[in-house]
Amino acid sequence: DDTLFVYDCINAEKKTLGNTGQDGKPTDKGSDDILAFAFSPSGDYFALTDDSKRLVLFHTKPSWECVSVRSVNRRCTSLIITAAEDKILVADKSGDVYSYSITEPQADGKLELGHLSLLLDVALSPEDRYILTADRDEKIRVSLAKAPYSIVSYCLGHKEFVSKILVIPNYPDLLLSASGDSTLRLWEYKSGEELYCCHLSSICGPETTKTDQKYPVSRMTYCCQGGYVAILCDCIPTVYIFQLDAIAQQLVYRQQISLKHNVWDIAFEETGDLWILQEDSEAPLQLCRPCDGQWKPVTGDKGLQKMSKYLQDNWTVFEG
């Protein structure tokens, strides 16, 4: 119906968790900042977790509505919804992954697996057969979803924390990973074999004068049409675009989109259009469209103009 749905976590139910002080009030006070979020594969569901240890589930069709607000044990770092759209998998700072039912939206979480280190990302194979988890101690673990205690393999090779992992949808045996060691790596994850390693410093280096600059990837998005990968690196206002060559099993660098402001997030559409959300109150949302193998800014799009106007009107909320 061309209207915008707004949900304010400040108004969500808060439950008392953890220790309380002498005055009976909780000592572990969280904010309402959103820490992680994800759509289900069909887009029918959307879930988020916040700093107040809440898991909020929404149904998006035929119109948006909040289905449930549940408590999680610890602050979460990443979440994903299964392809079957029956569970939400939530990774937390203690190294655990819990599953929360969608079909029973009030049910408590179930512990699925645990690491000895803080988890930074969680992913699923397209058919929900494998759970992949990445941690602060350089490891990527591949486990069976139906029996998470059964470890299929480890993808080992990163030298620092693994910040992002992505199972490639149209090549479901392949995994992309990014790390604080400034590399992007391609894996055959069921065997744990590393197929390709891209050193980001050789590509991103000209953008900075610091010779010891690190390039930890904060965002990674993939487009099946053409096999394009776009990434963001912390504190670098540039989007880097690669193309997956599945036959040669490597990543080919294609383009960089330099911006004047910090970039918060990026997302590909199925058509290849790339959305960029940046820290700019005048033009917070930018749309880039592929043309002759290069992504170029789009102007005059009515949907883009409407959304940018909404972001401008609510800038203090989004900036906070």
Side-chain angles (χ1 to χ4, degrees):
D1 59 2
D2 202 32
T3 59
L4 292 167
F5 172 79
V6 180
Y7 182 87
D8 194 338
C9 285
I10 293 174
N11 300 321
E13 177 186 3
K14 286 188 179 181
K15 297 180 180 179
T16 302
L17 296 173
N19 299 324
T20 58
Q22 294 180 350
D23 57 359
K25 296 181 179 180
T27 56
D28 185 15
K29 295 181 179 180
S31 69
D32 300 301
D33 293 347
I34 295 172
L35 303 179
F37 60 88
F39 276 99
S40 66
S42 71
D44 286 355
Y45 293 96
F46 179 80
L48 66 86
T49 61
D50 69 6
D51 194 53
S52 292
K53 302 179 184 177
R54 290 172 297 194
L55 173 65
V56 187
L57 174 65
F58 300 88
H59 197 240
T60 66
K61 298 175 183 178
S63 60
W64 281 69
E65 64 173 330
C66 179
V67 176
S68 67
V69 180
R70 285 175 277 190
S71 298
V72 295
N73 292 331
R74 296 173 182 85
R75 288 179 176 86
C76 303
T77 55
S78 179
L79 65 84
I80 191 170
I81 298 175
T82 59
E85 301 194 349
D86 58 347
K87 294 179 183 178
I88 309 166
L89 297 182
V90 178
D92 65 33
K93 290 188 174 183
S94 68
D96 294 329
V97 173
Y98 283 82
S99 65
Y100 291 82
S101 175
I102 290 178
T103 55
E104 299 178 45
Q106 305 300 331
D108 293 334
K110 174 187 174 184
L111 178 64
E112 297 288 350
L113 61 87
H115 282 227
L116 296 177
S117 178
L118 182 152
L119 286 178
L120 297 178
D121 206 4
V122 60
L124 285 163
S125 60
E127 74 288 356
D128 292 338
R129 186 176 180 185
Y130 301 100
I131 301 175
L132 297 91
T133 44
D135 69 23
R136 184 177 56 186
D137 291 340
E138 309 161 8
K139 298 189 300 299
I140 301 170
R141 183 199 294 183
V142 183
S143 308
L144 283 176
K146 291 186 177 180
Y149 52 82
S150 179
I151 299 174
V152 177
S153 67
Y154 284 97
C155 298
L156 303 176
H158 283 297
K159 306 302 181 184
E160 293 191 31
F161 62 89
V162 182
S163 56
K164 289 294 176 184
I165 53 175
L166 172 70
V167 178
I168 300 174
N170 53 337
Y171 296 99
D173 292 332
L174 300 181
L175 172 74
L176 273 175
S177 66
S179 166
D181 63 8
S182 302
T183 64
L184 271 179
R185 299 180 191 238
L186 183 66
W187 309 83
E188 202 293 314
Y189 62 86
K190 283 180 278 189
S191 66
E193 180 187 358
E194 181 182 306
L195 304 175
Y196 184 75
C197 178
C198 173
H199 292 272
L200 295 176
S201 57
S202 63
I203 295 168
C204 309
E207 290 294 298
T208 178
T209 57
K210 296 181 180 179
T211 56
D212 59 347
Q213 174 76 43
K214 295 284 187 179
Y215 303 93
V217 174
S218 58
R219 294 287 188 273
M220 182 160 55
T221 181
Y222 179 80
C223 179
C224 291
Q225 184 173 309
Y228 292 100
V229 181
I231 65 168
L232 285 178
C233 297
D234 280 344
C235 303
I236 300 177
T238 304
V239 179
Y240 300 96
I241 299 177
F242 300 81
Q243 187 172 21
L244 172 67
D245 185 338
I247 296 176
Q249 297 183 332
Q250 65 181 10
L251 294 169
V252 180
Y253 171 66
R254 292 301 185 195
Q255 182 188 358
Q256 64 182 43
I257 303 172
S258 299
L259 300 140
K260 296 180 181 178
H261 303 272
N262 289 331
V263 183
W264 286 337
D265 210 349
I266 52 175
F268 270 123
E269 286 191 23
E270 293 179 358
T271 60
D273 288 0
L274 178 65
W275 292 88
I276 301 171
L277 181 64
Q278 58 183 341
E279 191 178 1
D280 179 9
S281 60
E282 297 301 320
L285 200 58
Q286 184 167 314
L287 176 62
C288 293
R289 185 160 290 157
C291 179
D292 297 327
Q294 295 288 295
W295 274 257
K296 299 177 182 179
V298 174
T299 58
D301 183 270
K302 292 183 178 179
L304 173 63
Q305 292 172 349
K306 181 176 181 179
M307 193 62 194
S308 291
K309 180 63 167 58
Y310 174 77
L311 292 173
Q312 290 169 14
D313 293 343
N314 295 273
W315 184 252
T316 55
V317 175
F318 285 95
E319 193 174 31

